[in-house]
Each structure stands twice: as structure tokens, then as C-alpha cells.
Amino acid sequence: RITLLELMMVKVSDKNSVSSEEMNVFVRHADFLAVCFQEKCGAVLKLTAAADAEDEEALVTIRLLDVLCEMTSNNSQLEHLQAFPGLLETAVDTLRLTHLAGKQAVNIFTATHAVTGQEEISHPAVGFKSHLIRLIGNLCYKNKKNQDKV
């Protein structure tokens, strides 16, 4: 699943080589990806426990967020995902929970807290909060209804 999401990420982020037919396929799959993210976003919070650093569900959720961020960076998919029910609320709630989890334990979600001395920890959840903020920002871009919700 992670490899498939990484392949989708590469294809979605390369805006020059995506045909209109491929873009329509991405729009149709955007709903599925958004639902998967909504269902699995809590799995990332398990990564605060050191034993779960390689939790596959959490890694899949991180990749789902990356793909959703790229999809919402593209105007043809942005409007569709802005109107998707519950996606914005899920992203905001997940951001709140990751912020709280970072305060209660070692904060693995931000790069500034992932540095110990001179060495940097390459944890898969580093940057998760910034990607959530990017998704929230993209979902609110030129959308007064979503801006008012946030």
C-alpha cells in the first residue's frame, strides 16, 4: 500500500505529465483516499510509543496525507476535496490530537523536536503536523465556508 501511494504521489506531483484522463482518475480516487485517511488518522498517534515506530497503518496514513496534500495543491482536485464531508474536520481534530500527544511524550511530529544533540532522528512521523497544516490551508484556500469552520 505504501509503495502504491508513493507511486501516486510521484504521478500527482508531476503536473506536467498528467493527462486530463489521468486527472479524472485521480479525482475519482480522491474520495477513497480521503475516506481512508479519515478512518486511519488515529493510527499515527500510536507512533508516540517507541514500540510502534514501524506501525504499517501509521505509515500508510502518513503517505495518504502526503498524497492528499499534493492533490489539494492542484486546482482540478482542490474544489472536489474542499467539499468532501468531514475531511477538514478530521484534519483539524488530528492536528489537535498530535499537538497534545507531542506535549505529553517525546514530540516525534515536528522536526525541531526530533533533533537530539547533533544527530537528527529520521522518524517517519516527522513533519506530520506541518503536512496537516498544509492540508488544512489547502482546503481553506479561496473557500469561505471552510475558512469559517476553522
Side-chain angles (χ1 to χ4, degrees):
R1 292 181 293 174
I2 294 170
T3 304
L4 176 63
L5 288 169
E6 288 175 354
L7 290 171
M8 286 183 74
M9 177 78 171
V10 168
K11 194 64 174 171
V12 169
S13 60
D14 188 14
K15 293 168 180 60
N16 296 331
S17 70
V18 179
S19 68
S20 60
E21 183 179 315
E22 289 173 321
M23 194 58 68
N24 290 335
V25 170
F26 284 136
V27 170
R28 287 195 309 265
H29 289 92
D31 288 349
F32 174 71
L33 295 175
V35 167
C36 288
F37 176 74
Q38 287 175 309
E39 291 173 354
K40 302 199 183 303
C41 61
V44 177
L45 298 175
K46 294 179 193 171
L47 291 176
T48 56
D52 290 331
E54 295 297 321
D55 186 315
E56 186 178 349
E57 290 303 315
L59 298 175
V60 168
T61 304
I62 292 168
R63 286 290 161 244
L64 279 169
L65 178 60
D66 293 343
V67 173
L68 287 172
C69 284
E70 279 301 319
M71 285 182 153
T72 55
S73 296
N74 187 319
N75 286 335
S76 63
Q77 297 159 344
L78 174 63
E79 289 179 17
H80 179 73
L81 285 169
Q82 281 178 328
F84 192 82
L87 181 59
L88 178 64
E89 292 83 356
T90 300
V92 171
D93 290 343
T94 305
L95 180 61
R96 280 190 190 115
L97 292 172
T98 54
H99 183 69
L100 288 173
K103 284 185 171 187
Q104 294 173 352
V106 175
N107 192 347
I108 58 166
F109 300 110
T110 58
T112 56
H113 292 95
V115 177
T116 57
Q118 296 296 326
E119 42 185 88
E120 187 174 326
I121 299 170
S122 60
H123 197 282
V126 170
F128 184 73
K129 281 174 62 174
S130 65
H131 289 178
L132 278 171
I133 293 168
R134 178 182 175 200
L135 179 63
I136 292 167
N138 288 348
L139 293 174
C140 291
Y141 178 72
K142 293 185 178 179
N143 187 312
K144 180 77 170 128
K145 184 179 171 187
N146 284 351
Q147 290 170 8
D148 290 342
K149 285 180 185 177
V150 172

